[in-house]
Amino acid sequence: MFSIPRPSRRHLLVGSAVGALALAATAVLPTTNAMAATGCAVTYTTNSWQGGFTANLTIKNLGDPVSNWTLGFTFPDGGQRLVQGWSATWQQSGSAVTGRSLDYNGTLGTGASTTVGFNGSWTGSNPSPTSFTLNGTACTGGTTTPPTTPAPTTPPPTTPPPTGTTPVAINGQLRVCGVNLCNQYGRPIQLRGMSTHGLQWFANCYTDTSLTALADDWRADLLRISMYVQEKGYETNPSAFTAQVNTLVDKAEARGMYALIDFHTLTPGDPMYNLERAKTFFATVAARNAAKKNVIYEITNEPNGVSWSTIRSYAEQVIPVIRAADPDAVVIVGTRGWSSLGVSEGGNSDEIVNNPVRAENIMYTFHFYAASHKDNYRNEVQRAASRLPLFVTEFGTVTYTGDGAVDTASSNAWLDLLDRLKISYANWTFSDAAEGSAALRPGTCAAGTFTGPSVLTESGAYMRDRIRTPDAFPTS
Ligand code: IDC
């Protein structure tokens, strides 16, 4: 129905260290380690855009075990700058960059790897560095062994392949690294999926058949489970809505999709109105789902008419409740002005950068409706994305009313931007509501067939085309 030109989603430049054997590694070894076999291999993968880039490095120790390490390399272009890194303590001096191990990843056995990374900026060009050192040894991909030490006989272990090909099988437990959402290998990923409509109205849209279509036909990575709190939602029957959410978490898990549990507050806009309900709800769902790898918590949908400091205070009361039960899950915090980073109420993301939520492993919500929110919102997302981990937990291809025609030009501009920045998203809605944002034609859910071109609306056809392109998730 549509032919949408799609830029390649990944711009990869892979450089591995070559040459430099002449550097006679033994000459630069610390004296305490003089007899140790040394060797290493580093791969450098970058995702670059005008003026900025993300770099991910996998460091493999091919020599004897080390208990801490310092990685070194030089940026080839004088305009390249390290902005913010993760999984190491980073420093730049001139063009020379060092990354020192942290407590948790300093120990690297023979053949062991670890992944680190950073966000950077560039001016002239952005070439990848091609030579690296580890504890002073040039990483040539081989081992340098002092003559008196026999060469290691055990080959470095290879990373086992993932046990399945679903998004959850490949990516496992997610965590925030720098401004990205990262998978179990510490590599940035983007999840693309759909949001339910209100569970109180559209329960018949979320069945085994429909969710299989979402996972297999749409190839979605993510199901956002939108549990309204008001409007005949959770507040009217907490245990029934909690059970409904948990059932959908299981259905998503069975199909290898991530499940984003959305505490869908909207009116009133002050999240504090629902604070006690939120604590009760999240204590229950976090305890019940703690062992699962596919759950992400969205603690408030669209705060509005309240200050950032109120939202922050809400977050700092709800997040500990989740962490107490499920310590490793990613939590997403709504932002001011209907999760517009403040823009819809005259603010911007500086209020968050200057006063972030005091918790680890969190991201911040951004929402847009393509026919209503255009360049000024896109510019703010682009600006914020280098400083804050963002997740577009809801957006529409239409106007903010949830209705109207698809704005293809604006939707393309938005999704191209999110792809480039690796910002995850969920589209409003995977439902057959009689409104332009719904992906399914009215009557589809009652009829019970969810595949084939006749079930999709214009927005649904557009979104399915965008979502079903390959993910190319990193697997090591
Ligand atoms: C809309 C639904 C509509 C429903 C209304 C009120 O599309 O059927 O009657 O909510 O509950 C949001 C909200 C989301 C809105 C959506 C479209 O998060 O609940 O859904 N929207 O208006 N923020 C901006 C737009």
Side-chain angles (χ1 to χ4, degrees), residues 205 210 218 429-435 437-445 449-450 455-457 460:
C205 291
S210 75
W218 288 59
T429 56
F430 191 62
S431 83
D432 65 354
E435 55 189 15
S437 56
L440 305 170
R441 292 193 196 165
T444 300
C445 299
T449 299
F450 294 87
V455 304
L456 299 176
T457 62

Short mmCIF file of all heavy atoms in Angstrom, two decimals, residues 205 210 218 429-435 437-445 449-450 455-457 460:
data_model
loop_
_atom_site.label_atom_id
_atom_site.label_comp_id
_atom_site.label_asym_id
_atom_site.label_seq_id
_atom_site.Cartn_x
_atom_site.Cartn_y
_atom_site.Cartn_z
N CYS A 205 -8.88 -6.97 21.78
CA CYS A 205 -7.81 -6.79 20.79
C CYS A 205 -6.51 -7.47 21.22
O CYS A 205 -5.55 -7.49 20.46
CB CYS A 205 -7.53 -5.30 20.58
SG CYS A 205 -8.86 -4.42 19.74
N SER A 210 -3.95 -12.17 18.18
CA SER A 210 -3.51 -10.82 17.81
C SER A 210 -2.05 -10.60 18.19
O SER A 210 -1.29 -9.97 17.46
CB SER A 210 -4.41 -9.76 18.46
OG SER A 210 -4.12 -9.63 19.84
N TRP A 218 4.11 -8.58 12.26
CA TRP A 218 4.67 -7.23 12.40
C TRP A 218 6.14 -7.27 12.79
O TRP A 218 6.85 -6.29 12.64
CB TRP A 218 3.92 -6.45 13.47
CG TRP A 218 2.55 -5.99 13.13
CD1 TRP A 218 1.48 -6.75 12.78
CD2 TRP A 218 2.08 -4.63 13.14
NE1 TRP A 218 0.38 -5.95 12.57
CE2 TRP A 218 0.72 -4.65 12.79
CE3 TRP A 218 2.69 -3.40 13.42
CZ2 TRP A 218 -0.04 -3.48 12.71
CZ3 TRP A 218 1.93 -2.24 13.35
CH2 TRP A 218 0.57 -2.28 12.99
N THR A 429 -2.25 3.26 18.22
CA THR A 429 -2.45 2.09 19.06
C THR A 429 -2.62 0.84 18.21
O THR A 429 -3.04 0.92 17.06
CB THR A 429 -3.79 2.19 19.86
OG1 THR A 429 -4.88 2.37 18.92
CG2 THR A 429 -3.78 3.25 20.91
N PHE A 430 -2.31 -0.29 18.84
CA PHE A 430 -2.66 -1.58 18.25
C PHE A 430 -4.08 -1.88 18.72
O PHE A 430 -4.30 -2.57 19.72
CB PHE A 430 -1.67 -2.64 18.73
CG PHE A 430 -1.77 -3.95 18.00
CD1 PHE A 430 -1.52 -4.03 16.63
CD2 PHE A 430 -2.10 -5.12 18.67
CE1 PHE A 430 -1.59 -5.24 15.95
CE2 PHE A 430 -2.17 -6.34 18.00
CZ PHE A 430 -1.92 -6.39 16.64
N SER A 431 -5.06 -1.28 18.04
CA SER A 431 -6.47 -1.48 18.41
C SER A 431 -7.32 -1.19 17.20
O SER A 431 -6.83 -0.69 16.18
CB SER A 431 -6.87 -0.54 19.55
OG SER A 431 -7.22 0.74 19.03
N ASP A 432 -8.62 -1.48 17.32
CA ASP A 432 -9.54 -1.17 16.23
C ASP A 432 -10.47 -0.02 16.61
O ASP A 432 -11.61 0.04 16.14
CB ASP A 432 -10.31 -2.42 15.78
CG ASP A 432 -11.24 -2.98 16.86
OD1 ASP A 432 -11.21 -2.47 18.01
OD2 ASP A 432 -12.00 -3.90 16.55
N ALA A 433 -9.97 0.89 17.45
CA ALA A 433 -10.75 2.08 17.80
C ALA A 433 -11.11 2.85 16.51
O ALA A 433 -10.34 2.84 15.56
CB ALA A 433 -9.94 2.99 18.72
N ALA A 434 -12.26 3.51 16.53
CA ALA A 434 -12.69 4.28 15.36
C ALA A 434 -12.02 5.64 15.38
O ALA A 434 -12.65 6.68 15.57
CB ALA A 434 -14.21 4.40 15.36
N GLU A 435 -10.71 5.66 15.20
CA GLU A 435 -9.93 6.91 15.18
C GLU A 435 -8.66 6.66 14.37
O GLU A 435 -8.18 5.53 14.28
CB GLU A 435 -9.60 7.38 16.60
CG GLU A 435 -8.89 6.34 17.45
CD GLU A 435 -8.77 6.74 18.92
OE1 GLU A 435 -9.45 7.68 19.36
OE2 GLU A 435 -7.96 6.10 19.61
N SER A 437 -5.56 7.07 14.65
CA SER A 437 -4.33 6.49 15.21
C SER A 437 -4.39 4.98 15.33
O SER A 437 -3.35 4.34 15.51
CB SER A 437 -4.05 7.10 16.59
OG SER A 437 -5.15 6.90 17.45
N ALA A 438 -5.58 4.40 15.27
CA ALA A 438 -5.69 2.94 15.46
C ALA A 438 -5.14 2.21 14.24
O ALA A 438 -5.36 2.61 13.10
CB ALA A 438 -7.14 2.54 15.70
N ALA A 439 -4.42 1.12 14.49
CA ALA A 439 -3.78 0.38 13.41
C ALA A 439 -4.73 -0.59 12.72
O ALA A 439 -4.47 -1.01 11.59
CB ALA A 439 -2.58 -0.40 13.96
N LEU A 440 -5.78 -0.98 13.42
CA LEU A 440 -6.69 -2.00 12.91
C LEU A 440 -8.04 -1.37 12.55
O LEU A 440 -8.51 -0.47 13.27
CB LEU A 440 -6.88 -3.10 13.96
CG LEU A 440 -5.58 -3.74 14.48
CD1 LEU A 440 -5.87 -4.64 15.69
CD2 LEU A 440 -4.90 -4.54 13.37
N ARG A 441 -8.63 -1.85 11.50
CA ARG A 441 -9.93 -1.30 11.10
C ARG A 441 -11.01 -1.68 12.10
O ARG A 441 -10.96 -2.77 12.69
CB ARG A 441 -10.31 -1.83 9.71
CG ARG A 441 -9.40 -1.28 8.64
CD ARG A 441 -9.99 -1.55 7.26
NE ARG A 441 -8.98 -1.38 6.24
CZ ARG A 441 -9.08 -1.80 4.99
NH1 ARG A 441 -10.18 -2.43 4.60
NH2 ARG A 441 -8.11 -1.60 4.13
N PRO A 442 -12.00 -0.80 12.29
CA PRO A 442 -13.09 -1.09 13.24
C PRO A 442 -13.70 -2.47 12.96
O PRO A 442 -13.90 -2.83 11.80
CB PRO A 442 -14.10 0.02 12.99
CG PRO A 442 -13.27 1.17 12.49
CD PRO A 442 -12.15 0.53 11.68
N GLY A 443 -13.93 -3.22 14.00
CA GLY A 443 -14.53 -4.54 13.85
C GLY A 443 -13.52 -5.67 13.77
O GLY A 443 -13.89 -6.85 13.90
N THR A 444 -12.26 -5.33 13.59
CA THR A 444 -11.22 -6.37 13.44
C THR A 444 -11.13 -7.26 14.67
O THR A 444 -11.03 -8.49 14.56
CB THR A 444 -9.84 -5.72 13.17
OG1 THR A 444 -9.93 -4.95 11.97
CG2 THR A 444 -8.75 -6.76 13.03
N CYS A 445 -11.14 -6.65 15.85
CA CYS A 445 -10.88 -7.44 17.07
C CYS A 445 -12.02 -8.44 17.32
O CYS A 445 -11.77 -9.59 17.69
CB CYS A 445 -10.65 -6.51 18.26
SG CYS A 445 -9.20 -5.44 18.00
N THR A 449 -9.44 -11.93 13.22
CA THR A 449 -8.35 -12.17 12.27
C THR A 449 -7.47 -10.92 12.23
O THR A 449 -8.00 -9.82 12.05
CB THR A 449 -8.90 -12.47 10.86
OG1 THR A 449 -9.69 -13.64 10.95
CG2 THR A 449 -7.76 -12.70 9.86
N PHE A 450 -6.15 -11.10 12.38
CA PHE A 450 -5.28 -9.93 12.57
C PHE A 450 -4.18 -9.81 11.53
O PHE A 450 -3.31 -8.96 11.65
CB PHE A 450 -4.67 -9.97 13.98
CG PHE A 450 -5.71 -9.81 15.06
CD1 PHE A 450 -6.39 -10.91 15.56
CD2 PHE A 450 -6.05 -8.55 15.53
CE1 PHE A 450 -7.37 -10.76 16.53
CE2 PHE A 450 -7.02 -8.39 16.50
CZ PHE A 450 -7.69 -9.50 17.01
N VAL A 455 -7.03 -5.88 7.19
CA VAL A 455 -7.31 -5.54 8.59
C VAL A 455 -6.66 -4.21 8.99
O VAL A 455 -6.97 -3.66 10.04
CB VAL A 455 -6.87 -6.65 9.58
CG1 VAL A 455 -7.52 -7.96 9.23
CG2 VAL A 455 -5.36 -6.76 9.66
N LEU A 456 -5.74 -3.71 8.18
CA LEU A 456 -4.98 -2.53 8.60
C LEU A 456 -5.57 -1.22 8.11
O LEU A 456 -6.03 -1.13 6.97
CB LEU A 456 -3.53 -2.65 8.11
CG LEU A 456 -2.75 -3.86 8.62
CD1 LEU A 456 -1.37 -3.90 7.98
CD2 LEU A 456 -2.63 -3.82 10.14
N THR A 457 -5.50 -0.22 8.96
CA THR A 457 -5.83 1.16 8.56
C THR A 457 -4.60 1.75 7.85
O THR A 457 -3.55 1.11 7.76
CB THR A 457 -6.10 2.02 9.79
OG1 THR A 457 -4.89 2.06 10.57
CG2 THR A 457 -7.25 1.45 10.63
N GLY A 460 -1.95 1.81 10.39
CA GLY A 460 -1.48 0.45 10.67
C GLY A 460 -0.54 -0.06 9.59
O GLY A 460 0.51 -0.66 9.88
#
